[in-house]
Amino acid sequence: MSLTHTLPTPPLPLASPSTGQAPALRLPPAFEAFYGLHHARYLAYARAHLDAPAAATAVREAFGDLVTHWSDIVSRLNPTAEAWDHFTRWLNARTRPLPLHADVGLQYQAVVLHHIAGCSITATADATGQDPSKIRYLLGSWTRPTAVTSRTEAHPDTPDRQARALPGPGDRRR
């Protein structure tokens, strides 16, 4: 004789019988807040690597990937840095890097966000989950490439053909 009795769980509806549409999904409130805070910066970073429509699609897909890993991300010591690392790994697998010599990946990312996307040091630090002093150091220790001066020259087949001169260390925005 069994002491427990389980009722069968009904399957989730695949579509609403009245509208024929899939049910709306409720995202965790923390993810919705994270999305609201970081979407614009993630999009700016992606636009440095892709044309506008492709960047929008890539960021939408990347956030979809982030939400599937959300419980793991928020369990980490620095969820913002973890989410940024996850996002940049996801984007790097789908794009080519810009012709920037950087000592470490975070320096490259800081240069793209700050010098190319126009984010302030504070906004760059917020997006990457790093302290502003670390971002300031990475930007201050970056040396401008001399051989290539714009992303169009480096990637002539890039759909977004607006040439942007890569700034040197003396051209910092605060």
Side-chain angles (χ1 to χ4, degrees):
M1 173 175 194
S2 173
L3 297 176
T4 60
H5 180 67
T6 58
L7 296 174
T9 305
L12 291 174
L14 296 178
S16 169
S18 62
T19 64
Q21 295 180 342
L25 296 175
R26 303 253 328 143
L27 297 174
F31 181 80
E32 288 181 1
F34 178 85
Y35 178 90
L37 288 171
H38 297 287
H39 179 266
R41 293 177 191 128
Y42 280 42
L43 183 58
Y45 185 82
R47 285 198 65 186
H49 296 88
L50 299 164
D51 64 34
T57 299
V59 170
R60 185 175 48 254
E61 291 174 4
F63 269 99
D65 191 56
L66 280 173
V67 77
T68 63
H69 295 91
W70 190 246
S71 60
D72 180 52
I73 289 169
V74 296
S75 70
R76 301 299 177 102
L77 185 59
N78 185 341
T80 303
E82 186 66 29
W84 177 258
D85 289 345
H86 191 91
F87 167 71
T88 55
R89 279 191 310 270
W90 189 94
L91 191 65
N92 290 346
R94 291 154 178 83
T95 62
R96 294 185 298 185
L98 300 176
L100 304 172
H101 172 74
D103 296 329
V104 293
L106 184 58
Q107 184 179 47
Y108 170 88
Q109 296 157 14
V111 168
V112 170
L113 280 169
H114 184 65
H115 289 300
I116 296 173
C119 296
S120 69
I121 289 175
T122 302
T124 299
D126 288 346
T128 60
Q130 302 299 322
D131 190 85
S133 64
K134 184 171 188 171
I135 298 301
R136 232 179 254 105
Y137 170 77
L138 290 169
L139 292 171
S141 62
W142 176 67
T143 55
R144 179 182 182 193
T146 56
V148 177
T149 59
S150 77
R151 72 180 233 193
T152 302
E153 290 175 24
H155 303 296
D157 59 339
T158 302
D160 179 13
R161 297 186 189 281
Q162 295 176 341
R164 297 182 206 174
L166 297 176
D171 300 331
R172 294 187 198 109
R173 289 180 214 136
R174 297 273 178 213

